Amino acid sequence: MLYELEAGREFCNCGNLMKSETTFRHQSGEDETPYYTIEIFEIFTCPSCSKATIICYSTLGNDEEDEMNRDNMESEFYRDYRRTVLHAPRKQLHYAVPRYIAEVTYQAQSVLSKSSRASFILCRAVLEEICNDFKIPSEGVNKKGKSNFINLKERLTQLFEQEKISEDLVDIIQGIRDLGNEGAHSDHLTFAKQVKVEDANSLLMLVNYVVERLYVDKYRQQEAEEELIKLKEKILTSE
Ligand SMILES: [Zn+2]
């Protein structure tokens, strides 16, 4: 995703608009080529939770193109930048999310800037944890009476049936599994070429969404139902 530097508004993981504290700009080029890289590191603080976030905006430049765009050159903003979050306070999951599921999700976030691949694998591990939480077996017994391993695909199919997971959520969970498998099984060079930090961040966003739908929605639904019963008892039966 390309980012327009000029917009300049960044939000903390807690949801509040952040304040820019300091910016460091670094430019490096390769000898004998017109190409160079600009990286802008910006540190933000959040006035609400007072945590810091570090974001890197990077872009490729080309001296020859710059020559043609000379009129726009005085502004840094005519380029498109790639935005990478290097450090951010972790997004807090609702307390209705089981602890070990929240922990693996947090781990997927904390390795994000160091290894997209590790983050992909941990996103897949969140699905394993969800299956464990809903008591979907990871081992079965085959026709010959021997115990055998049940793979994640089969476990998820059981989960969808058992919990009557809605169609839209099934698609997202299967997508996370397919992508997580790429992290676990594809060779390193191909993966590194295809998958960038922002992709790992998007996958993590999907995992957060699934976790919230599975645990927090149910919790809020229960809360609402209980509240409704209380209100009805108090008001509708007192006539
Ligand atoms: Zn904050």
Side-chain angles (χ1 to χ4, degrees):
M1 200 193 305
L2 293 173
Y3 178 83
E4 280 181 44
L5 206 56
E6 206 165 6
R9 282 157 62 89
E10 292 287 0
F11 289 87
C12 179
N13 269 343
C14 78
N16 280 279
L17 185 66
M18 296 188 291
K19 176 170 165 273
S20 170
E21 294 290 349
T22 182
T23 305
F24 171 74
R25 186 181 182 285
H26 180 250
Q27 183 165 339
S28 56
E30 273 177 56
D31 289 343
E32 290 160 31
T33 75
Y35 299 103
Y36 60 88
T37 308
I38 299 173
E39 287 173 304
I40 298 169
F41 298 90
E42 191 158 3
I43 300 179
F44 296 88
T45 55
C46 173
S48 171
C49 71
S50 72
K51 299 221 164 90
T53 297
I54 306 172
I55 301 177
C56 173
Y57 309 93
S58 63
T59 188
L60 285 175
N62 178 337
D63 288 330
E64 287 160 10
E65 254 172 45
D66 290 348
E67 203 55 40
M68 296 188 309
N69 283 309
R70 206 200 289 267
D71 296 343
N72 294 323
M73 276 298 285
E74 65 282 4
S75 142
E76 192 80 80
F77 300 131
Y78 83 100
R79 307 167 192 278
D80 279 327
Y81 284 79
R82 213 162 72 162
R83 174 183 176 282
T84 309
V85 177
L86 298 178
H87 171 84
R90 71 188 188 188
K91 193 175 179 305
Q92 288 294 327
L93 285 165
H94 192 275
Y95 57 81
V97 177
R99 209 192 70 208
Y100 38 92
I101 293 177
E103 265 169 23
V104 182
T105 312
Y106 291 149
Q107 284 168 9
Q109 193 190 320
S110 68
V111 298
L112 201 65
S113 61
K114 294 182 193 80
S115 166
S116 310
R117 182 168 201 171
S119 185
F120 260 57
I121 294 169
L122 284 163
C123 283
R124 186 183 183 281
V126 173
L127 300 185
E128 301 265 9
E129 291 295 342
I130 290 171
C131 287
N132 295 342
D133 183 56
F134 284 101
K135 308 264 182 305
I136 308 293
S138 57
E139 270 181 36
V141 179
N142 67 12
K143 285 173 206 151
K144 289 173 187 163
K146 278 189 178 167
S147 69
N148 65 330
F149 172 76
I150 305 175
N151 67 28
L152 182 58
K153 187 177 181 183
E154 288 172 47
R155 294 185 82 197
L156 287 173
T157 308
Q158 283 190 44
L159 174 77
F160 299 151
E161 271 173 35
Q162 181 183 302
E163 296 300 313
K164 301 187 176 55
I165 308 271
S166 68
E167 210 53 44
D168 60 325
L169 200 54
V170 165
D171 284 345
I172 294 176
I173 294 174
Q174 276 171 338
I176 295 169
R177 185 190 60 94
D178 291 341
L179 290 157
N181 280 347
E182 282 300 302
H185 305 309
S186 79
D187 73 276
H188 184 65
L189 277 180
T190 318
F191 188 83
K193 212 186 264 175
Q194 281 176 335
V195 181
K196 301 293 173 222
V197 183
E198 60 260 38
D199 304 318
N201 194 35
S202 304
L203 188 64
L204 187 63
M205 222 176 67
L206 292 175
V207 168
N208 272 291
Y209 173 73
V210 167
V211 168
E212 279 182 15
R213 282 278 303 268
L214 286 177
Y215 295 99
V216 186
D217 279 10
K218 205 185 275 175
Y219 176 89
R220 294 214 170 104
Q221 172 79 24
Q222 267 170 14
E223 236 180 9
E225 281 165 7
E226 282 164 20
E227 220 37 64
L228 182 65
I229 291 170
K230 266 195 244 164
L231 276 176
K232 276 184 169 176
E233 274 174 0
K234 187 179 167 196
I235 296 164
L236 298 183
T237 54
S238 65
E239 283 165 19

